[in-house]
Amino acid sequence: RESRFPQLLFEYTDPSPRFDRTCVKGPVAKLVRVNDVSTATALEVTAGGRLYNIVVDTEETGKQLLQKGKLKRRYTIIPLNKISARHIPDSAVKKAQQLVGPDKVKPAISLIGYEDELKSAMQYVFGSTFICDTLQDAKQVTFDKRVMTRSVTLSGDVFDPSGTLTGGARPQTSAILLKLQELFECECESKQKL
């Protein structure tokens, strides 16, 4: 997998002789499963650079990696025991669904799969954004005074309640979640055939 996606490669030296490598969960992009591939672009835009953040069990593990792990490039570490999870209030979810319909707006976090132990990290990355079907839906949800929540369309356009809009051509490096999901499904099929 890493040879096709070098940005997902997280190489480090054990910071101590008895270092437990299971404490390092890995990059967010490798820990998340897209439930519906039609939402992959929107989810990738939602996460942005956080897709490449490294999830670890505690801030102590993160500190050891940063100080003694001989990292080859800069990384942002998400310690599961300290990260502030984010979520959209239920009242905002209900109001957004009343505005455009429950099938046209969903919290991003509800569109992914992940291991339970990773919940706080996934909420940090995906918890404060709606995924909307269309530009009109996103605009209506984002700027409604009772919702005022960042929204991303299925095509990857971003509406932020602060007033900024982001859109246009997507970089060629995009669609990593879609490619990883396809790879994951192929790996699962191969294992089932064995």
Side-chain angles (χ1 to χ4, degrees), residues 74-85:
R74 290 184 70 78
Y75 290 96
T76 298
I77 307 281
I78 300 176
L80 290 169
N81 70 325
K82 291 285 186 186
I83 197 65
S84 297

Side-chain angles (χ1 to χ4, degrees), residues 7-78:
Q7 65 273 45
L8 295 180
L9 190 60
F10 180 60
E11 295 179 309
Y12 62 92
T13 303
D14 288 353
S16 60
R18 292 193 190 124
F19 184 75
D20 181 0
R21 284 186 164 246
T22 63
C23 295
V24 180
K25 309 306 177 191
V28 169
K30 288 172 61 176
L31 301 172
V32 67
R33 295 289 159 252
V34 177
N35 295 340
D36 176 352
V37 293
S38 72
T39 63
T41 296
L43 290 167
E44 192 166 321
V45 169
T46 297
R50 290 184 179 150
L51 271 182
Y52 308 107
N53 287 184
I54 306 302
V55 180
V56 299
D57 63 343
T58 67
E59 84 282 3
E60 185 55 39
T61 299
K63 188 172 144 186
Q64 287 179 29
L65 287 170
L66 292 175
Q67 290 176 346
K68 299 177 184 170
K70 297 181 183 170
L71 304 177
K72 292 184 168 84
R73 61 183 183 92
R74 290 184 70 78
Y75 290 96
T76 298
I77 307 281
I78 300 176

Side-chain angles (χ1 to χ4, degrees), residues 178-193:
L178 182 60
K179 291 172 187 164
L180 283 172
Q181 187 65 27
E182 289 169 358
L183 199 60
F184 175 72
E185 288 169 6
C186 286
E187 287 173 357
C188 285
E189 286 173 21
S190 295
K191 287 177 184 170
Q192 287 174 353
K193 289 178 183 173

